[in-house]
Amino acid sequence: MQQNRKVERRTILKAGGASVAALGLGATATACGGGSGAGDGTVTIRYAWWGAEDRAKRINETVKLFEKKYPKIKVKTDFQVYTDFWKKFNTQASGGNPPDVFQNAIGFLRKYDAKNVLLDLSEQVKAGNLSMDGFRAGLEKFGEIDGKLLGVPVGSNSMALVIDKPVYTKAGVKPEQGWTWDDFDAAMKKIRDKAGRAGDTGPYNVMYLYDLYLRQNGKAFFTEDGLGFTEADLKDWWTKAEKGVESGIYADQKKVAQIKPKSAVAAELSGGEFTWDNFTVRYSSEGKSEYGLAPIPTTDGKKTGQYLGSLMLSASKRTQHPKEVAQFIDFMVHDPEVAKIMGYDRGVPATQAQYDAYKPTDPVNKEIAAYEESLVAAGVLEPITPHPNGADVCEAAFLRLGEELGLGKRSVDDAVKQFFTESKTALSS
């Protein structure tokens, strides 16, 4: 798979909010939604997503399959890179004419539901046009908000520790399920001392890792209506990150910034870093070593705080063709042939039928599947923390301020204060 697509996908979840945080969506107009009908009963629906050229090619192949099965439904496709997608979507939604069906993520559900943009697909489930059966590991609940079905998962991923295997072997480090943060810190020192590089890229701005750490300690990054942690909590997290860089167990953040978009692991600045499991392919395309997935460290040796995340398909509340949109979503998440085309492009397939239909043969994707299976077998998966309206702005602030802190542009106290100021404004709007 191509490097640019993997970098793009990392941007989606790790840096996504930064580009859309400043984009406000005003009250949507009452104009009718997208899609059109023809005299012979044929209807056209609009489908939009973000991604790179490779994803677009795969999705267009699946659309052709859908149109063969449903010859009376034509699909007009549109894709953009992540930042451009949300700019265009905002403009369309503000004008009352968003695409009929579109790719979505958890951080945007409450935001666009509050703007009256998203269709509750529950009625289409009741009508038999969309099945929510056969999803893996409770993913059928992922897009439910306040009793409404606002998104249907297309794939799953979970946070993991991506490691340079030879480096870990040289340092004599063997991470196992249930290892603690104390074990992790000791391992980072071994890598620094025996392998001659930083043990980890550093957790400054990895919001979803901090969420897991909070969940391990009975808190969470988000609650349904705000932040689930205090300024003191964040100060502790960022202070530890700063000390880690000073001691050499975390990578020099200036060097990390210089080699972007290449990862610090592939650039041999660090022995590992926390990211989403399905991003592992990018490391093989960027670097020369052998890379693998390791478990998330724990506070008590048991609770990782993990959940399965997912990209989703959502529908416009203004679509003129809710039945056809539901049939399209149903096809995209259940049809086995779709999985064979898409592979793990958007994560491990969300439904069991698609999971069974696509069996990866390459070592990297086989390890991704095995990793998620291990999470299910270990019983560590929990429901995802709700994301309130404004979550995307909070994520953007966490990313930006974490980077500024790592580059020495802000003190810990200043970064913490600024984060809470921006987040409180975003969450109260």
Side-chain angles (χ1 to χ4, degrees), residues 101-113:
V101 59
F102 54 94
Q103 188 170 285
N104 206 352
I106 189 69
F108 299 96
L109 290 186
R110 288 186 185 274
K111 175 177 181 175
Y112 289 112
D113 182 42

Side-chain angles (χ1 to χ4, degrees), residues 31-39 41-48 72-78 92 95-102 315-325 328:
C32 59
S36 62
T42 300
V43 302
T44 299
I45 60 175
R46 293 158 50 217
Y47 173 31
K72 292 293 186 179
I73 306 175
K74 302 302 179 185
V75 182
K76 183 178 180 181
T77 61
D78 180 29
Q92 292 172 325
N97 192 35
D100 297 271
V101 59
F102 54 94
S316 165
K317 199 169 188 177
R318 287 164 174 72
T319 181
Q320 297 176 23
H321 308 293
K323 176 182 177 181
E324 288 81 3
V325 164
F328 177 77

Side-chain angles (χ1 to χ4, degrees), residues 160-178:
L161 173 60
V162 175
I163 65 172
D164 185 319
K165 288 184 177 181
V167 168
Y168 266 64
T169 299
K170 183 176 182 179
V173 176
K174 187 177 180 181
E176 297 179 343
Q177 191 75 42

